[in-house]
Amino acid sequence: MITMKRNARITLLLLLIAGLWLALKPTLGNRRFTFLPFRLSEYIDFMDFWLNLGSFALLGLTVWLAFGALEKAFSRMWMMTGFITLLNITLELVQSSIPGREMDFADVWAGLLGCVLGIFGGIVLQLLSIRKKTGRTSPQVLFLDQTGRLGGAELMLLDIAAARAADSEALLFQDGEFRTALENIGVKTTVLALGEDASTVDKQAGLKRVLRSIPGILQLMLQVVQAARSFDVVYANTAKALIIGGPAARLAGRPLIFHLHDIIADGHFSMLNQQALILCANHCAQSVIANSEATKDAFIACGGRAELCVVVPNGFRIPTERSSTEETKSLRTSLGIPSAAWTVLMAGRLAHWKGQHVLLEALKAVPNAHAVLLGDALFTDEDRKYAQQLHTQAEELSGRVHFAGFQSKTMPYFDMADVVVHASVYPEPFGRVIVEGMLACKPVIASRAGGAAEIISHEQTGLLVNPGRPTELADALLRLQHDSEFASIIAHQALQTARATYALSAVQEKIEAVIHQIASPQEPEVLSSIIPPKKSPPCAA
Ligand code: UDP
Ligand code: GLC
């Protein structure tokens, strides 16, 4: 496979040779061009012509290869031909000012011809390299993700990567259990750590922090460019992965998919971050996979290109077996929950916008209920501070709140609960925990906003309450506690809906279709580089 890494080295070497030749050229004697040399001096002229042609061919070829992608072939070709010919004429003019030397037009023609030949040589080499690259039936995908922790976006990526482990690699900007999980499913994973300045830039970062992060980001970007050249598609799974991977994919000449797991809006991102994300997505991505209609709508409202978007929800393995009564009993005991206590599960990372504090507040009005908070503060210092506040808040509830920490096996927790609560105070982009509650056949109460409001039909497959309203949440909890028949009906309806809507295999197929569509226009891409398309191609529907 002709990799661009190798091309870059060849480029340098050939440029050196061509430069050497140009530097040595004026030392040759007075030349006259002849195709059929008879005398020794004519042999020198003859060689000069062909070497000149050759050196310009090399120049054309190497400059072309250095450009990388096959875009805008014609304009670049004419630009380079003109530039190199101009250089040649200038050299000839300089030489003709040396006493005893004349302007040699044969050299200029040789240069022009060489340049055109070189450029076509470059095109052929790139075509060969592309054909090699697309030789595999399945596109080679490089997944990019900023974190080493296991959030919902990473769990979704694990499921996507699992279906194409042999044809994918992952590049993370932080080490952690996500790397281990990817390696366990057979996905080769590299960690390229983001410098401290860049890694502390969070979703709310302002200008100062963003500026400080630039050197680290540029360094990482160059490493990603190198890596991306060995793949057919770059797949950015998080915001920082897009900011770094977007320009890197462009520089490497590779198409980019941005899997949008976030709602790009105030509350979730600072203004500056919103603009940076939209700019990168609009200019670098060939497809944006939004995890819900709400995520897609927010992207478009913020200025994102609608024609890039396709909505694909998260997918879930439908469990064939659930935990046994014994297992749930012993789990309750280990958490310190009385065996008959009515139990509310709230699963998910501890972060203010996830609204665990809303549940704890609501619990005051539901005297007999116990709550299990499954999850940990995963990402920021703010999250860790919030987790401490939750512990303080829980003290008021005299032993009715149980912190389970982060667990990789969550099913037993869903199985031992009587009800599952989602209480995000900002619109939830998707909300995996809601579907997981439905698949566990538990009644789910969720915040009426974002993806959550798309997953649940109020009073059919769950209950929706307004975000950040503890009293409404308490009322919904009491309703389910007192009307177990209604709770059971909505739980069963939710189970059917979740099974029908969120089966993992269907979701994997949709993602794979997007990958193929983005990767496959390679023969057309070659054509479109020669005959540029009027409009950029729309992504998968
Ligand atoms: N989760 C987990 N262990 C925990 C807590 C949560 O594996 O201790 C999982 C949970 O089952 C869900 C994901 O983390 O699949 C959280 O995804 P969600 O979309 O609900 O929220 P996110 O944290 O991604 O915003
Ligand atoms: C993000 C979102 C969450 C979503 C998950 C998977 O972490 O916050 O709502 O479910 O990605 O798409």
Side-chain angles (χ1 to χ4, degrees):
M1 178 161 156
I2 298 166
T3 64
M4 293 311 291
K5 204 172 166 185
R6 208 169 107 201
N7 284 345
R9 280 200 217 110
I10 297 173
T11 302
L12 266 177
L13 185 74
L14 296 186
L15 272 175
L16 266 174
I17 296 172
L20 250 177
W21 165 248
L22 285 176
L24 286 174
K25 214 172 79 133
T27 62
L28 287 174
N30 188 13
R31 297 146 308 151
R32 225 174 302 113
F33 169 66
T34 170
F35 273 112
L36 286 169
F38 295 105
R39 284 178 297 163
L40 185 64
S41 64
E42 285 173 349
Y43 270 111
I44 291 172
D45 289 345
F46 177 78
M47 273 177 61
D48 182 24
F49 171 85
W50 287 107
L51 282 173
N52 198 2
L53 182 135
S55 73
F56 278 97
L58 288 179
L59 258 183
L61 181 96
T62 51
V63 173
W64 182 264
L65 284 176
F67 264 101
L70 276 168
E71 280 172 18
K72 300 176 192 146
F74 277 122
S75 57
R76 279 183 187 174
M77 191 174 88
W78 292 125
M79 195 182 78
M80 281 192 291
T81 311
F83 173 74
I84 294 174
T85 308
L86 212 72
L87 195 80
N88 200 358
I89 292 173
T90 316
L91 266 173
E92 289 300 329
L93 281 172
V94 171
Q95 282 190 66
S96 65
S97 68
I98 301 170
R101 302 286 300 261
E102 283 167 16
M103 181 107 173
D104 191 344
F105 277 105
D107 269 3
V108 177
W109 283 114
L112 187 67
L113 192 64
C115 185
V116 172
L117 284 177
I119 285 164
F120 278 109
I123 291 180
V124 169
L125 264 181
Q126 290 203 23
L127 285 180
L128 283 176
S129 117
I130 284 173
R131 201 166 301 141
K132 271 261 168 55
K133 196 154 58 65
T134 54
R136 301 229 199 161
T137 42
S138 179
Q140 303 300 295
V141 174
L142 177 65
F143 292 112
L144 302 179
D145 196 293
Q146 71 200 50
T147 181
R149 311 302 306 270
L150 279 172
E154 289 68 37
L155 290 168
M156 171 70 180
L157 186 61
L158 269 178
D159 285 335
I160 299 167
R164 50 168 16 269
D167 299 305
S168 309
E169 283 185 27
L171 212 159
L172 309 183
F173 304 158
Q174 189 193 49
D175 204 356
E177 63 271 16
F178 185 30
R179 176 181 56 78
T180 320
L182 281 163
E183 285 172 351
N184 286 345
I185 56 165
V187 177
K188 189 179 166 205
T189 305
T190 311
V191 177
L192 287 178
L194 197 53
E196 207 192 317
D197 281 334
S199 59
T200 54
V201 173
D202 58 19
K203 290 178 180 177
Q204 296 297 333
L207 188 62
K208 210 169 145 196
R209 270 165 81 191
V210 170
L211 287 178
R212 272 221 315 263
S213 70
I214 287 175
I217 288 181
L218 285 180
Q219 197 189 6
L220 185 58
M221 203 181 279
L222 288 176
Q223 290 172 301
V224 176
V225 173
Q226 285 281 349
R229 283 176 169 162
S230 308
F231 294 85
D232 297 316
V233 174
V234 178
Y235 193 113
N237 195 51
T238 57
K240 271 184 206 164
L242 171 72
I243 298 289
I244 291 163
R250 266 200 87 103
L251 286 170
R254 295 296 180 265
L256 177 99
I257 295 172
F258 174 38
H259 199 145
L260 178 57
H261 295 277
D262 298 301
I263 289 193
I264 305 181
D266 298 347
H268 285 287
F269 291 95
S270 71
M271 209 46 177
L272 190 74
N273 278 352
Q274 290 178 36
Q275 285 163 358
L277 282 172
I278 295 295
L279 191 81
C280 261
N282 281 352
H283 290 92
C284 303
Q286 274 65 43
S287 176
V288 174
I289 300 175
N291 60 0
S292 67
E293 292 292 338
T295 303
K296 174 187 158 189
D297 292 346
F299 175 74
I300 296 168
C302 204
R305 282 163 54 199
E307 70 273 19
L308 292 178
C309 284
V310 54
V311 175
V312 182
N314 280 219
F316 299 81
R317 279 184 194 83
I318 314 291
T320 45
E321 270 181 40
R322 305 296 314 188
S323 322
S324 65
T325 324
E326 282 311 304
E327 282 166 330
T328 51
K329 230 181 182 178
S330 74
L331 182 59
R332 274 172 172 266
T333 315
S334 69
L335 286 166
I337 306 171
S339 57
W342 195 75
T343 306
V344 183
L345 173 75
M346 190 161 169
R349 59 197 156 95
L350 306 182
H352 181 269
W353 78 271
K354 289 289 186 183
Q356 281 89 356
H357 60 286
V358 181
L359 172 64
L360 298 197
E361 190 56 35
L363 221 59
K364 288 181 186 166
V366 193
N368 304 321
H370 280 241
V372 174
L373 299 187
L374 173 65
D376 208 347
L378 288 190
F379 299 127
T380 63
D381 284 342
E382 253 171 65
D383 294 347
R384 284 179 271 278
K385 240 183 249 161
Y386 176 71
Q388 281 167 7
Q389 285 164 16
L390 286 176
H391 280 274
T392 314
Q393 194 182 352
E395 281 165 17
E396 290 175 40
L397 289 155
S398 45
R400 290 197 288 131
V401 182
H402 310 268
F403 289 87
F406 181 87
Q407 303 293 333
S408 50
K409 286 201 174 79
T410 58
M411 196 166 81
Y413 291 84
F414 283 93
D415 289 336
M416 59 124 222
D418 292 291
V419 55
V420 170
V421 163
H422 162 271
S424 292
V425 294
Y426 293 134
E428 180 73 50
F430 177 76
R432 292 175 61 88
V433 288
I434 300 166
V435 181
E436 286 162 353
M438 293 162 85
L439 287 170
C441 198
K442 302 294 168 179
V444 180
I445 305 171
S447 288
R448 186 182 280 111
E454 291 166 37
I455 298 171
I456 285 185
S457 303
H458 184 53
E459 296 189 333
Q460 300 296 315
T461 55
L463 290 179
L464 291 172
V465 295
N466 288 315
R469 303 276 174 81
T471 43
E472 273 192 44
L473 179 56
D475 288 347
L477 285 168
L478 288 167
R479 182 176 173 189
L480 293 177
Q481 195 180 38
H482 296 136
D483 192 347
S484 54
E485 201 186 324
F486 172 66
S488 165
I489 289 171
I490 59 170
H492 279 90
Q493 285 173 179
L495 174 64
Q496 299 312 322
T497 306
R499 279 185 174 160
T501 320
Y502 302 108
L504 181 60
S505 53
V507 167
Q508 282 168 333
E509 272 170 32
K510 282 185 194 161
I511 301 276
E512 200 56 27
V514 178
I515 292 175
H516 275 264
Q517 188 167 357
I518 295 308
S520 64
Q522 280 177 348
E523 296 314 326
E525 184 196 296
V526 171
L527 283 181
S528 72
S529 66
I530 294 164
I531 307 160
K534 288 197 182 93
K535 252 179 32 191
S536 54
C539 76

